[in-house]
Amino acid sequence: MVAESLLTNEVRALIGQATAPVPVRLTSRMVERTMDVYLGGRPRRFAPGEAVPGFVLVALEAEAEPLDVPQLLPDGLMISNEMTFERPLCLGEELTVQWRVGEIRERFGGQFGYSVFVPTEVLVRDVTGAVVARTSRTMMYYDASDVPGEGGER
Amino acid sequence: MTALPLQLREGEEIPALTVRPDLGQVIRFCAASWVFPPIFYDVEAARAQGMPGTLIPGPLKLGFLYRAVEEWLGDAGFVRQVRAAHRRPDVTGSALTVRGRVVRAYEESGRQRADLELAVENEAGETSVRGYASVELY
């Protein structure tokens, strides 16, 4: 049972840290693969410049370089996630993706015992540098040997 | 695609979307996102974590929320945001039903917008995901 904070200065220093933006082009292959994941079957084709389904963010965020955030506790659940769009993304767009750490928090004595919450996000910017989309998720880390687990997704 | 909504009306329910993600679909998701926790595809690893089987990834379920809203919206607008709060794990191969309804319709910055409450129900009728979406008409 953890009785003291595991949020060391080293861990706290990660809050707000971001990796360098990675250039990425929104390709037909990304769109077709994610449409296959979410819709199944033969995906429809899009013309260059045409708006594409937002779940292509799954493929875009995979291009971002993540930071190495230490896993302080052995078990993890994804408790929430979201996708946000300022406008639809379009086929062929030149974009950048950047991975960032949010406010790391901890909780003592909750349903899962001591737990650490690590929010991260991936920012998608267009060629002007404007954020056009973002995806974020919060992971909760805990020790299942302290509290038999139930709850969200890994 | 469904017929385009002429108006965003509070209380309007979106058509339910039922999916049954199998292991192949989950593995394709892992490949597309380049994320490979064994609990998504290795049943022994999942059981070692106390789960009855491999799990449907949370981001895949978020995408189903997105899909349900987008299919309802058609070409009339776009999904500005979709959020998911994960309450229960869902096992690969089980049926999930996305339900939703408009809880607020309003105009902002000259645009017609609406907020929706969403939920993913499992086969037992339990809510495994609580969701939210915001849409904007063109």
Side-chain angles (χ1 to χ4, degrees), chain A residues 30-31 34-39 52-60 83 85, chain B residues 59 62-64 66-67 70:
Chain A
M30 288 178 176
V31 175
T34 51
M35 288 188 74
D36 181 51
V37 167
Y38 288 101
L39 301 175
V52 299
F55 37 61
V56 75
L57 264 185
V58 165
L60 287 173
M83 298 188 288
F85 304 89
Chain B
L62 179 71
F64 293 141
Y66 178 95
R67 177 182 160 188
E70 188 181 60

Side-chain angles (χ1 to χ4, degrees), chain A residues 28-29 31-32 35 42-48 50-52 91:
Chain A
S28 295
R29 178 165 290 187
V31 175
E32 289 168 7
M35 288 188 74
R42 191 179 182 86
R44 65 161 283 208
R45 302 191 81 83
F46 291 84
E50 189 177 359
V52 299
L91 185 65

Side-chain angles (χ1 to χ4, degrees), chain A residues 37-38 54 79 81 85 151 153, chain B residues 25 56 61 66-67 80 84 89:
Chain A
V37 167
Y38 288 101
I79 58 171
N81 59 339
F85 304 89
E153 292 299 325
Chain B
Q25 189 172 12
I56 301 169
K61 292 191 278 189
Y66 178 95
R67 177 182 160 188
R80 288 176 49 82

Side-chain angles (χ1 to χ4, degrees), chain B residues 75-126:
Chain B
D75 295 327
F78 73 101
V79 181
R80 288 176 49 82
Q81 187 180 56
V82 61
R83 298 200 305 246
H86 301 278
R87 305 298 191 202
R88 298 173 179 274
D90 289 303
V91 176
T92 306
S94 61
L96 305 176
T97 299
V98 179
R99 301 186 193 281
R101 68 185 179 93
V102 176
V103 293
R104 182 177 174 230
Y106 56 102
E107 186 174 315
E108 191 171 86
S109 305
R111 300 281 192 174
Q112 286 296 119
R113 292 180 174 170
D115 299 336
L116 294 90
E117 286 180 350
L118 306 169
V120 174
E121 288 179 9
N122 63 20
E123 291 175 344
E126 300 163 324

Side-chain angles (χ1 to χ4, degrees), chain A residues 3 7 12 16-18 20 23 35 38 46-47 49 57 60 77 93 109 123 125 127 132 136:
Chain A
L7 301 190
R12 292 184 190 278
Q17 293 290 311
M35 288 188 74
Y38 288 101
F46 291 84
L57 264 185
L60 287 173
L77 297 169
E93 274 199 275
L123 303 172
R125 292 186 174 88
V127 290
V132 292
S136 64

